[in-house]
Amino acid sequence: MERIDWSDFSKVEMRVGTILSAEVFEKVKRPAYILYVDFGELGILKSSAQITKLYRAEELVGKQVIAVVNFPPKQIANIQSQCLVLGAVQGDEVTLLTVDTPTPNGLRIG
């Protein structure tokens, strides 16, 4: 494990957001969803998420998740992924990082 300084960690903008919609991402090789996530004052950001093993698209709507919002956009097939939704990874299963009580969209994780 590589250690980082606090100054490195403080550059990572992790925020709470609410999934507004989730749709099957047909254009990718590995099963994924396109998520539209509301981050409050930061706006609605799009993400590609390979979370199809544990989640159905319809059950994701309304779920609050944690995402990194300050990576540069990444081209994935025919979309620009604008944030990285975080999850615990075990093989090809990803368990989303969520909050356990309703939290304002855009709130920073620290």
Side-chain angles (χ1 to χ4, degrees):
M1 171 176 60
E2 181 182 348
R3 301 233 182 240
I4 63 172
D5 293 327
W6 180 257
S7 63
D8 294 324
F9 176 73
S10 67
K11 294 176 190 173
V12 180
E13 288 274 335
M14 290 181 285
R15 303 286 181 136
V16 175
T18 301
I19 298 174
L20 299 178
S21 67
E23 57 193 55
V24 174
F25 195 174
E26 308 255 345
K27 304 275 186 188
V28 291
K29 294 176 186 173
R30 294 184 63 200
Y33 296 125
I34 300 171
L35 305 178
Y36 292 86
V37 186
D38 181 358
F39 291 100
E41 290 183 5
L42 298 174
I44 297 169
L45 301 178
K46 190 172 10 179
S47 182
S48 171
Q50 294 175 344
I51 56 174
T52 60
K53 290 277 186 189
L54 298 179
Y55 303 95
R56 292 185 320 236
E58 59 271 11
E59 71 187 5
L60 291 168
V61 175
K63 186 176 284 293
Q64 286 197 290
V65 294
I66 310 302
V68 176
V69 298
N70 66 331
F71 284 134
K74 181 176 182 180
Q75 188 70 39
I76 301 175
N78 63 331
I79 73 157
Q80 287 256 324
S81 188
Q82 301 167 306
C83 64
L84 175 66
V85 175
L86 299 176
V89 180
Q90 183 174 15
D92 61 354
E93 293 183 348
V94 178
T95 302
L96 291 171
L97 296 186
T98 62
V99 293
D100 62 356
T101 58
T103 304
N105 290 332
L107 201 61
R108 184 159 185 187
I109 303 300

